[in-house]
Amino acid sequence: MSENKPAPAKKPAMSIEKAQKARRKFLHSAGLTGAVIGLSLLGYIPVTSAKTPRLRPPGALNESDFLSSCIKCGQCVQVCPVQAIKLGDLKDGFGVGVPHIDAREQACDFSCDAVQCILACPTGSLTYKKPGFLNIREGALLAAAPILKAKEKDAEPTLNLKERIGVARLARPESCLAVQGKGFKGEARSGSFKGKMRYMDVDRWKPIPVRDHPYDVPLCDLCVRECPVKDAIALKPVKGADGVERMTPVVLEPCVGCGVCEMICPAEPAAIVIDAQATWKEA
Amino acid sequence: MSRFTDLFMGMLGAAPKKPEKVSERVQKIMFLKYEDKDRYIKEKLHARAHHDVSHKWRNRRWAVLIATNLLFVLSFWLDIQLLEGSLTASRFAGFHLIDLNSALQVMLAHKHIIVNLFIGTFTVFLLWVLLGGRTFCSWVCPYHLVSELTEKLHLMLVDRKIVTDHEFHRGTRTVFWALFALLAIVTGYTVFETLSPTGILSRALIYGPGLALGWVGLLLLFEVFYSRRAWCRYICPIGLTYGAVGSISPLQITYHVEHCFHEGDCRKVCLVPHVLEVTVKGRASEETMGLGPDCTRCGLCVDVCPTGALRFEVKGLSKLL
Ligand code: SF4
Ligand code: SF4
Ligand code: SF4
Ligand code: SF4
């Protein structure tokens, strides 16, 4: 680095200018570094201020583990036959590129039969079974592997799934058609609704648009009827305030939080919703 | 310090140095070059006049870059399942491929590595050791392509004296690399991925555009109006990760001092001109020299050099042929 040649006499004069330039460059570089790091930390805002947690795909790790382990590749998006999985955008902060499900728009109805998104995930962000040191939230563990109605006649009717991603809840009992004692006729959602579902009596391997499968039922039981998981939800009688006995959907322990009930509910907004990342609590 | 260390330090941001010793062979070449100045100048003008501006390597590179990204897009859109996923992690005909920098961020943030992640990372590591690390930048990265195009705009504006280029210290990239690694460890989030235009663009191409493209747009504006190729030159930790991997790569651009007129056309087109310091008169110590790990093997310098002093070469192979 150091050369033995004697420095020319004029050099110091040059150096001041050079040193100034170097100083400016250093300050600029430090400014750039500060600005970029500062911007990157803005990612905290959506993460820490998220009021309602996102519904994650089946098998997702606990939220902070999920955000840190997901490599944002979208392979889970690619395998899903009903395109239930969407990737986060910049407004999700550190969740940019991280998958979630908007159940009202398109729920996971397990059309894939095998929880394929878990199979596709290269990082273990979606997993059949969490490694021991990543604790399972209490109430997230399912009492038993859920039985998929679509597979009931198969040799292996259960889904390879250990944890729920949320729990359904009758959020607006007053708008629930069953509670009002009403039937339902027509398309479950508006004609422009793009959501798809698998109807076993139509085609096991090809989900069709919900609008192509109109209903005609004397008492609305769409959420119960279309729930893909056996014994996750049932219509049960309750006595209303007026003393009249009515039917109401009751969510049961096997509910995995897939969101089909929320998607199919003909009330607007949906009477039943998923509490994302919620765990099971005995009522 | 060895030449390897010099080149590596150069990638981290150290200023290029004059060689301590110039080999006898090079001294002789230089002597012969200047012995007959007139002939030398004549030769130089002749070479210039007859040099067809070639875009051979650029065209090949753009074709590969576009084809690779298109393969991702079509695999999903047409459901041909050949290259599933996006640039951060994918599966090629069933084989896991995982971007080295994304994998690093995830490992540091999550502090846990599963087998698939390891396999994919290892495959990609081997691939880029062979192909020369930063080859990823110029032959695959979609941000490279768009910023290469907007760079032309920047240069045009500089030419018309509408904007000036603001240079930063190249060492900032090393600082960023360390800071993003540290942030991943401390926060437990893959902080860098929120900003990475490579990941954002790749996902936007495959899964559709979003707000995040606005950030990429801002970056490009910064590069057009303020600082030439700023993201790739001074910030992107992906480039540094791949650079480090490619430091032992056999595929490189080599410089042949005998054919060089030291005019520096190559340094004007290069994204990382510091690797071309050897082309400055008196900077080459050997007759042929590899350019080092920070070179992206884009071939722009190969295309632009009128006398063929820069070439794509595979170490050891030229001796065999
Ligand atoms: S489990 Fe649900 S979200 Fe996952 S791929 Fe299957 S249908 Fe899609
Ligand atoms: S496949 Fe796994 S790593 Fe990839 S986006 Fe989905 S959850 Fe994230
Ligand atoms: S009750 Fe709703 S959320 Fe729960 S499993 Fe059934 S359809 Fe899915
Ligand atoms: S040295 Fe040549 S090949 Fe390497 S990055 Fe510069 S222009 Fe491209």
Side-chain angles (χ1 to χ4, degrees):
Chain A
M1 275 171 213
S2 67
E3 277 161 60
N4 292 333
K5 278 176 257 161
K10 261 187 276 165
K11 209 171 180 181
M14 277 287 293
S15 285
I16 290 175
E17 204 179 287
K18 250 194 178 160
Q20 261 180 359
K21 224 175 149 185
R23 211 176 85 96
R24 256 203 306 276
K25 195 162 159 179
F26 174 79
L27 287 177
H28 278 157
S29 304
L32 179 77
T33 313
V36 173
I37 295 293
L39 278 174
S40 70
L41 289 178
L42 289 182
Y44 257 121
I45 297 175
V47 169
T48 49
S49 67
K51 281 181 209 78
T52 43
R54 294 264 205 193
L55 185 64
R56 299 300 181 187
L61 302 182
N62 293 347
E63 184 68 3
S64 64
D65 290 321
F66 188 59
L67 286 181
S68 64
S69 62
C70 171
I71 205 163
K72 304 152 164 70
C73 64
Q75 291 188 62
C76 49
V77 174
Q78 301 208 355
V79 294
C80 181
V82 289
Q83 290 100 39
I85 305 177
K86 300 273 178 301
L87 296 184
D89 201 348
L90 208 55
K91 61 180 188 300
D92 295 279
F94 298 143
V96 64
V98 177
H100 63 87
I101 291 175
D102 180 356
R104 186 68 175 156
E105 290 308 309
Q106 176 63 63
C108 157
D109 65 347
F110 298 106
S111 278
C112 60
D113 245 23
V115 220
Q116 285 203 38
C117 43
I118 299 185
L119 200 65
C121 179
T123 57
S125 298
L126 306 177
T127 172
Y128 293 118
K129 193 174 186 307
K130 267 195 221 174
F133 63 93
L134 296 174
N135 67 315
I136 295 179
R137 292 160 294 158
E138 205 187 323
L141 197 69
L142 289 151
I147 294 175
L148 199 60
K149 285 188 203 159
K151 292 210 287 183
E152 245 185 312
K153 295 189 196 78
D154 292 12
E156 179 49 66
T158 58
L159 266 181
N160 195 351
L161 202 64
K162 302 278 184 307
E163 281 176 54
R164 66 188 100 239
I165 48 175
V167 180
R169 174 173 57 94
L170 190 64
R172 303 175 187 91
E174 67 287 356
S175 55
C176 171
L177 296 177
V179 172
Q180 295 169 22
K182 287 185 189 157
F184 182 75
K185 195 172 155 70
E187 295 159 354
R189 306 285 303 276
S190 78
S192 57
F193 182 65
K194 294 207 181 64
K196 282 188 199 160
M197 275 255 291
R198 145 164 88 175
Y199 296 93
M200 283 298 277
D201 45 342
V202 179
D203 187 341
R204 175 164 183 169
W205 299 117
K206 208 175 166 296
I208 58 165
V210 168
R211 61 165 179 263
D212 292 349
H213 197 275
Y215 296 83
D216 187 2
V217 287
L219 182 70
C220 179
D221 66 344
L222 264 49
C223 53
V224 176
R225 180 183 293 255
E226 300 307 351
C227 173
V229 177
K230 193 174 152 96
D231 297 330
I233 185 168
L235 273 192
K236 289 194 175 157
V238 281
K239 252 201 182 81
D242 52 2
V244 184
E245 199 176 67
R246 295 263 163 76
M247 297 301 269
T248 184
V250 177
V251 179
L252 305 168
E253 194 278 338
C255 171
V256 296
C258 68
V260 168
C261 49
E262 181 177 336
M263 172 170 79
I264 207 72
C265 180
E268 200 66 65
I272 190 164
V273 298
I274 302 297
D275 290 336
Q277 299 176 30
T279 49
W280 178 253
K281 286 181 201 76
E282 210 63 60
Chain B
M1 272 197 283
S2 74
R3 165 114 174 115
F4 179 85
T5 334
D6 275 345
L7 291 174
F8 205 87
M9 293 311 286
M11 177 170 72
L12 297 185
K17 282 178 296 189
K18 281 207 181 103
E20 279 155 25
K21 228 173 57 212
V22 174
S23 76
E24 266 174 44
R25 179 80 186 119
V26 174
Q27 285 176 6
K28 205 157 154 204
I29 290 171
M30 296 310 268
F31 178 76
L32 285 175
K33 270 201 216 170
Y34 301 115
E35 188 191 30
D36 189 353
K37 257 236 156 100
D38 290 342
R39 206 203 69 212
Y40 173 74
I41 290 170
K42 231 193 237 157
E43 242 176 53
K44 176 159 117 179
L45 292 174
H46 180 85
R48 263 197 179 251
H50 290 265
H51 175 61
D52 297 319
V53 186
S54 140
H55 291 303
K56 181 168 112 183
W57 286 104
R58 188 200 68 185
N59 293 346
R60 287 179 184 181
R61 183 165 53 84
W62 283 2
V64 170
L65 192 152
I66 291 169
T68 312
N69 285 283
L70 214 57
L71 198 58
F72 274 110
V73 175
L74 295 182
S75 287
F76 181 39
W77 286 16
L78 307 182
D79 204 20
I80 48 177
Q81 293 172 8
L82 195 57
L83 188 56
E84 297 159 277
S86 67
L87 271 184
T88 52
S90 57
R91 220 169 288 198
F92 180 70
F95 283 100
H96 281 287
L97 299 175
I98 297 180
D99 169 63
L100 297 181
N101 200 72
S102 308
L104 186 80
Q105 292 287 322
V106 162
M107 290 172 191
L108 294 177
H110 188 44
K111 301 162 188 82
H112 181 63
I113 306 167
I114 70 160
V115 182
N116 284 345
L117 186 65
F118 181 76
I119 296 175
T121 312
F122 191 67
T123 323
V124 170
F125 175 81
L126 282 185
L127 182 77
W128 295 111
V129 164
L130 286 178
L131 293 178
R134 287 208 72 189
T135 309
F136 169 85
C137 294
S138 61
W139 292 72
V140 177
C141 176
Y143 185 75
H144 190 282
L145 182 64
V146 279
S147 66
E148 193 175 344
L149 297 174
T150 49
E151 181 181 23
K152 290 199 195 317
L153 197 62
H154 171 84
L155 291 177
M156 196 193 80
L157 293 176
V158 168
D159 218 35
R160 298 195 182 162
K161 302 215 162 52
I162 299 172
V163 305
T164 43
D165 178 29
H166 297 76
E167 277 185 39
F168 297 97
H169 194 291
R170 284 187 304 104
T172 48
R173 192 178 51 162
T174 311
V175 174
F176 274 121
W177 194 97
L179 282 178
F180 281 123
L182 204 69
L183 278 177
I185 297 173
V186 174
T187 66
Y189 294 111
T190 52
V191 177
F192 168 68
E193 295 295 334
T194 30
L195 294 185
S196 166
T198 307
I200 290 175
L201 275 179
S202 178
R203 281 190 300 272
L205 284 170
I206 301 164
Y207 308 113
L211 283 176
L213 281 184
W215 162 244
V216 179
L218 282 180
L219 269 182
L220 290 172
L221 285 178
F222 184 73
E223 295 189 349
V224 169
F225 293 106
Y226 196 78
S227 179
R228 179 179 180 185
R229 291 306 281 276
W231 179 266
C232 299
R233 281 187 181 183
Y234 311 115
I235 303 174
C236 185
I238 304 177
L240 190 54
T241 303
Y242 280 105
V245 170
S247 59
I248 47 173
S249 166
L251 178 80
Q252 53 181 6
I253 303 283
T254 49
Y255 168 67
H256 302 254
V257 67
E258 192 173 358
H259 305 272
C260 178
F261 287 129
H262 311 291
E263 298 183 280
D265 288 1
C266 51
R267 293 195 296 279
K268 287 191 201 115
V269 294
C270 182
L271 163 65
V272 276
H274 71 96
V275 303
L276 285 165
E277 279 291 313
V278 278
T279 66
V280 174
K281 209 183 286 173
R283 288 295 174 100
S285 58
E286 301 294 334
E287 204 181 344
T288 63
M289 302 182 81
L291 290 190
D294 218 10
C295 162
T296 72
R297 282 83 164 165
C298 70
L300 283 176
C301 58
V302 178
D303 277 345
V304 85
C305 180
T307 52
L310 292 158
R311 297 165 207 168
F312 268 100
E313 252 157 3
V314 178
K315 229 186 266 173
L317 212 66
S318 37
K319 282 192 203 100
L320 290 177
L321 296 179

